[in-house]
Short mmCIF file of all heavy atoms in Angstrom, two decimals:
data_model
loop_
_atom_site.label_atom_id
_atom_site.label_comp_id
_atom_site.label_asym_id
_atom_site.label_seq_id
_atom_site.Cartn_x
_atom_site.Cartn_y
_atom_site.Cartn_z
N LEU A 178 -11.95 -23.07 -21.04
CA LEU A 178 -12.45 -22.91 -22.37
C LEU A 178 -13.67 -23.91 -22.57
O LEU A 178 -14.67 -23.65 -23.19
CB LEU A 178 -11.51 -22.99 -23.44
CG LEU A 178 -10.58 -21.75 -23.73
CD1 LEU A 178 -9.49 -22.06 -24.61
CD2 LEU A 178 -11.53 -20.64 -24.19
N LEU A 179 -13.24 -25.15 -22.17
CA LEU A 179 -14.30 -26.26 -22.32
C LEU A 179 -15.51 -25.90 -21.46
O LEU A 179 -16.67 -26.14 -21.96
CB LEU A 179 -13.68 -27.63 -21.85
CG LEU A 179 -14.39 -28.88 -22.10
CD1 LEU A 179 -14.66 -28.98 -23.68
CD2 LEU A 179 -13.58 -30.02 -21.66
N ALA A 180 -15.25 -25.46 -20.25
CA ALA A 180 -16.52 -25.09 -19.41
C ALA A 180 -17.28 -23.88 -19.94
O ALA A 180 -18.51 -23.89 -19.93
CB ALA A 180 -15.98 -24.78 -18.03
N GLY A 181 -16.52 -22.92 -20.54
CA GLY A 181 -17.28 -21.80 -21.20
C GLY A 181 -18.03 -22.28 -22.36
O GLY A 181 -19.21 -21.70 -22.55
N THR A 182 -17.51 -23.20 -23.14
CA THR A 182 -18.31 -23.70 -24.25
C THR A 182 -19.56 -24.33 -23.83
O THR A 182 -20.65 -24.19 -24.36
CB THR A 182 -17.49 -24.64 -25.08
OG1 THR A 182 -16.26 -23.99 -25.56
CG2 THR A 182 -18.21 -25.21 -26.24
N ALA A 183 -19.41 -25.13 -22.78
CA ALA A 183 -20.53 -25.86 -22.08
C ALA A 183 -21.61 -24.88 -21.77
O ALA A 183 -22.90 -25.03 -21.86
CB ALA A 183 -20.20 -26.86 -21.06
N VAL A 184 -21.15 -23.79 -20.98
CA VAL A 184 -22.18 -22.79 -20.51
C VAL A 184 -22.90 -22.17 -21.62
O VAL A 184 -24.05 -21.85 -21.65
CB VAL A 184 -21.36 -21.83 -19.62
CG1 VAL A 184 -22.16 -20.50 -19.29
CG2 VAL A 184 -20.96 -22.50 -18.32
N GLN A 185 -22.13 -21.72 -22.67
CA GLN A 185 -22.71 -21.03 -23.76
C GLN A 185 -23.79 -21.87 -24.59
O GLN A 185 -24.77 -21.48 -24.96
CB GLN A 185 -21.65 -20.59 -24.76
CG GLN A 185 -20.69 -19.47 -24.30
CD GLN A 185 -21.48 -18.17 -24.00
OE1 GLN A 185 -22.34 -17.76 -24.71
NE2 GLN A 185 -21.27 -17.57 -22.82
N TYR A 186 -23.53 -23.27 -24.64
CA TYR A 186 -24.39 -24.09 -25.27
C TYR A 186 -25.65 -24.24 -24.44
O TYR A 186 -26.78 -24.26 -24.86
CB TYR A 186 -23.73 -25.52 -25.42
CG TYR A 186 -24.73 -26.41 -26.04
CD1 TYR A 186 -25.19 -26.40 -27.23
CD2 TYR A 186 -25.15 -27.52 -25.13
CE1 TYR A 186 -26.11 -27.45 -27.71
CE2 TYR A 186 -26.13 -28.45 -25.65
CZ TYR A 186 -26.54 -28.38 -26.84
OH TYR A 186 -27.43 -29.29 -27.50
N ARG A 187 -25.40 -24.31 -23.06
CA ARG A 187 -26.59 -24.45 -22.18
C ARG A 187 -27.49 -23.18 -22.22
O ARG A 187 -28.58 -23.43 -22.05
CB ARG A 187 -25.99 -24.62 -20.81
CG ARG A 187 -26.54 -25.37 -19.76
CD ARG A 187 -27.00 -26.66 -20.00
NE ARG A 187 -27.84 -26.97 -18.79
CZ ARG A 187 -28.84 -27.72 -18.72
NH1 ARG A 187 -29.25 -28.30 -19.78
NH2 ARG A 187 -29.45 -27.80 -17.63
N ARG A 188 -26.93 -21.98 -22.43
CA ARG A 188 -27.65 -20.79 -22.48
C ARG A 188 -28.41 -20.62 -23.76
O ARG A 188 -29.03 -19.70 -24.07
CB ARG A 188 -26.73 -19.58 -22.22
CG ARG A 188 -26.36 -19.54 -20.78
CD ARG A 188 -25.54 -18.35 -20.62
NE ARG A 188 -25.12 -18.22 -19.19
CZ ARG A 188 -24.28 -17.29 -18.72
NH1 ARG A 188 -23.76 -16.42 -19.52
NH2 ARG A 188 -24.07 -17.24 -17.45
N GLY A 189 -28.07 -21.50 -24.86
CA GLY A 189 -28.64 -21.48 -26.08
C GLY A 189 -28.00 -20.47 -27.11
O GLY A 189 -28.52 -20.22 -28.15
N LYS A 190 -26.74 -20.11 -26.75
CA LYS A 190 -26.06 -19.21 -27.66
C LYS A 190 -25.15 -19.84 -28.70
O LYS A 190 -24.66 -19.30 -29.61
CB LYS A 190 -25.14 -18.20 -26.80
CG LYS A 190 -25.91 -17.33 -25.87
CD LYS A 190 -25.17 -16.36 -25.18
CE LYS A 190 -26.04 -15.44 -24.31
NZ LYS A 190 -25.36 -14.33 -23.62
N LEU A 191 -25.04 -21.22 -28.54
CA LEU A 191 -24.36 -21.97 -29.53
C LEU A 191 -25.32 -23.01 -30.10
O LEU A 191 -26.12 -23.62 -29.27
CB LEU A 191 -23.13 -22.70 -28.93
CG LEU A 191 -21.97 -21.91 -28.51
CD1 LEU A 191 -20.87 -22.74 -27.89
CD2 LEU A 191 -21.30 -21.27 -29.80
N SER A 192 -25.22 -23.37 -31.44
CA SER A 192 -25.93 -24.45 -32.04
C SER A 192 -25.19 -25.66 -31.55
O SER A 192 -24.05 -25.72 -31.21
CB SER A 192 -25.94 -24.29 -33.46
OG SER A 192 -24.74 -24.44 -34.03
N GLY A 193 -25.95 -26.84 -31.75
CA GLY A 193 -25.40 -28.11 -31.41
C GLY A 193 -24.18 -28.42 -32.21
O GLY A 193 -23.19 -29.01 -31.59
N THR A 194 -24.20 -28.21 -33.51
CA THR A 194 -23.05 -28.54 -34.35
C THR A 194 -21.86 -27.65 -34.01
O THR A 194 -20.74 -28.13 -34.00
CB THR A 194 -23.37 -28.52 -35.81
OG1 THR A 194 -23.97 -27.08 -36.12
CG2 THR A 194 -24.36 -29.58 -36.17
N ARG A 195 -22.08 -26.44 -33.72
CA ARG A 195 -21.01 -25.55 -33.48
C ARG A 195 -20.36 -25.99 -32.05
O ARG A 195 -19.14 -25.95 -31.75
CB ARG A 195 -21.41 -24.12 -33.39
CG ARG A 195 -20.44 -23.12 -32.93
CD ARG A 195 -19.20 -23.01 -33.82
NE ARG A 195 -19.48 -22.63 -35.14
CZ ARG A 195 -19.15 -21.50 -35.64
NH1 ARG A 195 -18.55 -20.64 -34.91
NH2 ARG A 195 -19.44 -21.22 -36.92
N ALA A 196 -21.25 -26.31 -31.17
CA ALA A 196 -20.77 -26.74 -29.88
C ALA A 196 -19.90 -28.02 -29.93
O ALA A 196 -18.89 -28.11 -29.31
CB ALA A 196 -21.95 -26.99 -28.85
N VAL A 197 -20.31 -28.93 -30.78
CA VAL A 197 -19.45 -30.15 -31.02
C VAL A 197 -18.13 -29.88 -31.46
O VAL A 197 -17.08 -30.36 -31.06
CB VAL A 197 -20.19 -31.12 -31.87
CG1 VAL A 197 -19.32 -32.31 -32.30
CG2 VAL A 197 -21.45 -31.74 -31.16
N LEU A 198 -18.00 -28.95 -32.47
CA LEU A 198 -16.81 -28.44 -33.00
C LEU A 198 -15.93 -27.78 -31.97
O LEU A 198 -14.76 -28.19 -31.85
CB LEU A 198 -17.04 -27.47 -34.19
CG LEU A 198 -15.75 -26.76 -34.67
CD1 LEU A 198 -14.82 -27.71 -35.37
CD2 LEU A 198 -16.13 -25.61 -35.58
N LEU A 199 -16.51 -26.88 -31.13
CA LEU A 199 -15.69 -26.34 -30.12
C LEU A 199 -15.22 -27.32 -29.06
O LEU A 199 -14.09 -27.24 -28.64
CB LEU A 199 -16.48 -25.14 -29.49
CG LEU A 199 -16.73 -23.93 -30.46
CD1 LEU A 199 -17.58 -22.95 -29.85
CD2 LEU A 199 -15.45 -23.41 -31.00
N VAL A 200 -16.09 -28.12 -28.65
CA VAL A 200 -15.74 -29.23 -27.71
C VAL A 200 -14.59 -30.06 -28.22
O VAL A 200 -13.64 -30.40 -27.57
CB VAL A 200 -16.90 -30.02 -27.21
CG1 VAL A 200 -16.45 -31.32 -26.54
CG2 VAL A 200 -17.83 -29.21 -26.38
N GLY A 201 -14.71 -30.47 -29.54
CA GLY A 201 -13.66 -31.30 -30.13
C GLY A 201 -12.35 -30.56 -30.07
O GLY A 201 -11.25 -31.05 -29.83
N MET A 202 -12.37 -29.22 -30.41
CA MET A 202 -11.13 -28.46 -30.46
C MET A 202 -10.57 -28.32 -29.10
O MET A 202 -9.29 -28.48 -28.83
CB MET A 202 -11.39 -27.09 -31.06
CG MET A 202 -11.68 -27.11 -32.57
SD MET A 202 -12.35 -25.62 -33.38
CE MET A 202 -11.25 -24.26 -32.60
N CYS A 203 -11.41 -28.10 -28.02
CA CYS A 203 -10.90 -27.97 -26.78
C CYS A 203 -10.35 -29.24 -26.24
O CYS A 203 -9.27 -29.27 -25.52
CB CYS A 203 -12.08 -27.57 -25.81
SG CYS A 203 -12.59 -25.78 -25.93
N LEU A 204 -10.95 -30.39 -26.56
CA LEU A 204 -10.45 -31.57 -26.17
C LEU A 204 -9.07 -32.01 -26.70
O LEU A 204 -8.20 -32.48 -26.09
CB LEU A 204 -11.40 -32.78 -26.42
CG LEU A 204 -12.64 -32.71 -25.61
CD1 LEU A 204 -13.57 -33.97 -26.04
CD2 LEU A 204 -12.40 -32.84 -24.17
N THR A 205 -8.97 -31.59 -28.06
CA THR A 205 -7.59 -31.86 -28.64
C THR A 205 -6.45 -31.06 -27.94
O THR A 205 -5.42 -31.56 -27.76
CB THR A 205 -7.62 -31.66 -30.22
OG1 THR A 205 -7.99 -30.39 -30.43
CG2 THR A 205 -8.51 -32.70 -30.88
N TRP A 206 -6.78 -29.81 -27.75
CA TRP A 206 -5.81 -28.94 -27.01
C TRP A 206 -5.58 -29.36 -25.54
O TRP A 206 -4.56 -29.23 -24.95
CB TRP A 206 -6.14 -27.54 -27.20
CG TRP A 206 -5.80 -26.98 -28.49
CD1 TRP A 206 -6.67 -26.81 -29.49
CD2 TRP A 206 -4.47 -26.73 -29.11
NE1 TRP A 206 -5.95 -26.40 -30.61
CE2 TRP A 206 -4.68 -26.38 -30.25
CE3 TRP A 206 -3.25 -26.80 -28.48
CZ2 TRP A 206 -3.52 -25.98 -31.13
CZ3 TRP A 206 -2.17 -26.43 -29.26
CH2 TRP A 206 -2.28 -26.13 -30.61
N LEU A 207 -6.72 -29.87 -24.89
CA LEU A 207 -6.53 -30.32 -23.56
C LEU A 207 -5.62 -31.59 -23.52
O LEU A 207 -4.87 -31.73 -22.56
CB LEU A 207 -7.95 -30.72 -23.04
CG LEU A 207 -8.09 -31.09 -21.56
CD1 LEU A 207 -7.59 -30.09 -20.74
CD2 LEU A 207 -9.41 -31.58 -21.33
N SER A 208 -5.75 -32.43 -24.47
CA SER A 208 -4.79 -33.56 -24.46
C SER A 208 -3.38 -33.11 -24.63
O SER A 208 -2.54 -33.74 -24.04
CB SER A 208 -5.12 -34.54 -25.64
OG SER A 208 -4.83 -33.95 -26.86
N TYR A 209 -3.11 -32.14 -25.45
CA TYR A 209 -1.80 -31.53 -25.50
C TYR A 209 -1.23 -30.97 -24.28
O TYR A 209 -0.17 -31.25 -23.79
CB TYR A 209 -1.81 -30.44 -26.61
CG TYR A 209 -0.52 -29.66 -26.68
CD1 TYR A 209 0.65 -30.11 -27.26
CD2 TYR A 209 -0.49 -28.34 -26.13
CE1 TYR A 209 1.82 -29.43 -27.22
CE2 TYR A 209 0.67 -27.62 -26.11
CZ TYR A 209 1.89 -28.22 -26.69
OH TYR A 209 3.02 -27.48 -26.72
N ALA A 210 -2.19 -30.22 -23.53
CA ALA A 210 -1.83 -29.83 -22.30
C ALA A 210 -1.62 -30.85 -21.21
O ALA A 210 -0.61 -30.65 -20.44
CB ALA A 210 -2.91 -28.84 -21.77
N LEU A 211 -2.33 -32.00 -21.22
CA LEU A 211 -2.01 -33.08 -20.36
C LEU A 211 -0.76 -33.63 -20.61
O LEU A 211 0.01 -34.04 -19.66
CB LEU A 211 -3.13 -34.02 -20.47
CG LEU A 211 -4.56 -33.83 -19.74
CD1 LEU A 211 -5.54 -34.82 -20.28
CD2 LEU A 211 -4.20 -33.85 -18.43
N LEU A 212 -0.34 -33.85 -21.93
CA LEU A 212 0.99 -34.33 -22.29
C LEU A 212 2.09 -33.46 -21.84
O LEU A 212 3.14 -33.91 -21.45
CB LEU A 212 1.06 -34.63 -23.82
CG LEU A 212 0.21 -35.84 -24.27
CD1 LEU A 212 0.29 -35.92 -25.70
CD2 LEU A 212 0.63 -37.12 -23.56
N GLN A 213 1.90 -32.04 -21.84
CA GLN A 213 2.90 -31.08 -21.35
C GLN A 213 3.14 -31.23 -19.97
O GLN A 213 4.30 -31.13 -19.36
CB GLN A 213 2.52 -29.78 -21.84
CG GLN A 213 2.51 -29.48 -23.25
CD GLN A 213 3.83 -29.68 -23.94
OE1 GLN A 213 4.85 -29.22 -23.43
NE2 GLN A 213 3.86 -30.53 -24.98
N VAL A 214 2.10 -31.51 -19.15
CA VAL A 214 2.13 -31.70 -17.74
C VAL A 214 2.91 -33.02 -17.36
O VAL A 214 3.72 -33.00 -16.41
CB VAL A 214 0.69 -31.70 -16.95
CG1 VAL A 214 0.83 -32.09 -15.61
CG2 VAL A 214 0.17 -30.39 -17.16
N THR A 215 2.77 -33.99 -18.12
CA THR A 215 3.35 -35.29 -17.77
C THR A 215 4.70 -35.41 -18.41
O THR A 215 5.54 -36.10 -17.70
CB THR A 215 2.52 -36.44 -18.25
OG1 THR A 215 2.40 -36.40 -19.77
CG2 THR A 215 1.09 -36.49 -17.69
N GLN A 216 5.08 -34.82 -19.49
CA GLN A 216 6.49 -34.98 -20.03
C GLN A 216 7.28 -33.96 -19.55
O GLN A 216 7.37 -32.79 -19.97
CB GLN A 216 6.27 -34.89 -21.56
CG GLN A 216 5.37 -35.82 -22.19
CD GLN A 216 5.69 -37.24 -21.91
OE1 GLN A 216 6.86 -37.73 -21.97
NE2 GLN A 216 4.76 -38.04 -21.49
N SER A 217 8.08 -34.30 -18.49
CA SER A 217 9.02 -33.46 -17.81
C SER A 217 8.40 -32.19 -17.20
O SER A 217 8.93 -31.10 -17.18
CB SER A 217 10.18 -32.91 -18.72
OG SER A 217 10.80 -34.09 -19.20
N GLY A 218 7.06 -32.36 -16.85
CA GLY A 218 6.37 -31.24 -16.21
C GLY A 218 6.18 -31.36 -14.72
O GLY A 218 7.17 -31.89 -14.11
N THR A 219 5.05 -31.06 -14.13
CA THR A 219 4.87 -31.25 -12.80
C THR A 219 4.69 -32.56 -12.31
O THR A 219 4.94 -32.88 -11.07
CB THR A 219 3.67 -30.40 -12.44
OG1 THR A 219 2.49 -30.79 -13.14
CG2 THR A 219 3.78 -28.91 -12.62
N VAL A 220 4.30 -33.50 -13.09
CA VAL A 220 4.13 -34.98 -12.76
C VAL A 220 5.42 -35.64 -13.08
O VAL A 220 5.82 -35.66 -14.17
CB VAL A 220 2.89 -35.58 -13.43
CG1 VAL A 220 2.80 -37.09 -12.98
CG2 VAL A 220 1.67 -34.85 -12.96
N PRO A 221 6.10 -36.29 -12.13
CA PRO A 221 7.31 -37.02 -12.44
C PRO A 221 7.13 -38.08 -13.47
O PRO A 221 6.09 -38.82 -13.42
CB PRO A 221 7.77 -37.60 -11.13
CG PRO A 221 7.02 -36.88 -10.04
CD PRO A 221 5.76 -36.37 -10.76
N THR A 222 7.99 -38.20 -14.35
CA THR A 222 8.07 -39.23 -15.39
C THR A 222 8.23 -40.72 -14.83
O THR A 222 9.03 -40.81 -13.88
CB THR A 222 9.12 -38.96 -16.43
OG1 THR A 222 8.92 -37.73 -17.02
CG2 THR A 222 9.08 -40.03 -17.64
N GLY A 223 7.46 -41.65 -15.31
CA GLY A 223 7.63 -43.03 -14.77
C GLY A 223 6.83 -43.37 -13.61
O GLY A 223 6.91 -44.49 -13.15
N THR A 224 5.96 -42.47 -13.19
CA THR A 224 5.06 -42.77 -12.10
C THR A 224 3.76 -43.34 -12.54
O THR A 224 3.34 -42.97 -13.74
CB THR A 224 4.84 -41.58 -11.18
OG1 THR A 224 4.22 -40.56 -11.98
CG2 THR A 224 6.16 -41.09 -10.58
N PRO A 225 3.00 -44.04 -11.74
CA PRO A 225 1.63 -44.52 -12.15
C PRO A 225 0.69 -43.26 -12.55
O PRO A 225 0.01 -43.39 -13.48
CB PRO A 225 1.12 -45.23 -10.92
CG PRO A 225 2.31 -45.67 -10.20
CD PRO A 225 3.30 -44.58 -10.42
N LEU A 226 0.78 -42.08 -11.85
CA LEU A 226 -0.01 -41.04 -12.19
C LEU A 226 0.44 -40.52 -13.64
O LEU A 226 -0.45 -40.08 -14.41
CB LEU A 226 0.22 -39.88 -11.23
CG LEU A 226 -0.60 -38.59 -11.49
CD1 LEU A 226 -2.07 -38.85 -11.48
CD2 LEU A 226 -0.27 -37.57 -10.40
N ASN A 227 1.68 -40.53 -13.94
CA ASN A 227 2.10 -40.08 -15.24
C ASN A 227 1.57 -40.92 -16.39
O ASN A 227 0.97 -40.49 -17.35
CB ASN A 227 3.65 -40.12 -15.33
CG ASN A 227 4.19 -39.64 -16.59
OD1 ASN A 227 3.78 -40.07 -17.69
ND2 ASN A 227 5.16 -38.77 -16.49
N TYR A 228 1.58 -42.40 -16.11
CA TYR A 228 0.96 -43.23 -17.13
C TYR A 228 -0.50 -43.06 -17.22
O TYR A 228 -1.10 -43.12 -18.36
CB TYR A 228 1.26 -44.67 -16.75
CG TYR A 228 2.76 -44.94 -16.83
CD1 TYR A 228 3.44 -45.61 -15.73
CD2 TYR A 228 3.56 -44.67 -17.94
CE1 TYR A 228 4.74 -45.88 -15.78
CE2 TYR A 228 4.96 -44.80 -17.94
CZ TYR A 228 5.50 -45.52 -16.97
OH TYR A 228 6.94 -45.77 -17.05
N ALA A 229 -1.17 -42.83 -16.19
CA ALA A 229 -2.68 -42.67 -16.16
C ALA A 229 -3.04 -41.38 -16.93
O ALA A 229 -3.94 -41.27 -17.75
CB ALA A 229 -3.16 -42.61 -14.80
N LEU A 230 -2.22 -40.25 -16.63
CA LEU A 230 -2.49 -39.00 -17.40
C LEU A 230 -2.12 -39.14 -18.92
O LEU A 230 -2.80 -38.52 -19.76
CB LEU A 230 -1.70 -37.89 -16.76
CG LEU A 230 -2.25 -37.45 -15.43
CD1 LEU A 230 -1.34 -36.30 -14.80
CD2 LEU A 230 -3.74 -36.88 -15.52
#
Side-chain angles (χ1 to χ4, degrees):
L178 282 173
L179 191 59
T182 300
V184 167
Q185 292 298 317
Y186 174 72
R187 210 49 193 150
R188 290 183 178 172
K190 296 185 179 187
L191 286 175
S192 67
T194 54
R195 176 61 62 109
V197 168
L198 172 65
L199 293 175
V200 166
M202 290 169 45
C203 286
L204 289 177
T205 55
W206 283 104
L207 182 63
S208 71
Y209 170 75
L211 281 170
L212 289 174
Q213 293 300 311
V214 168
T215 60
Q216 304 302 317
S217 300
T219 55
V220 177
T222 304
T224 61
L226 179 59
N227 185 309
Y228 294 133
L230 288 176

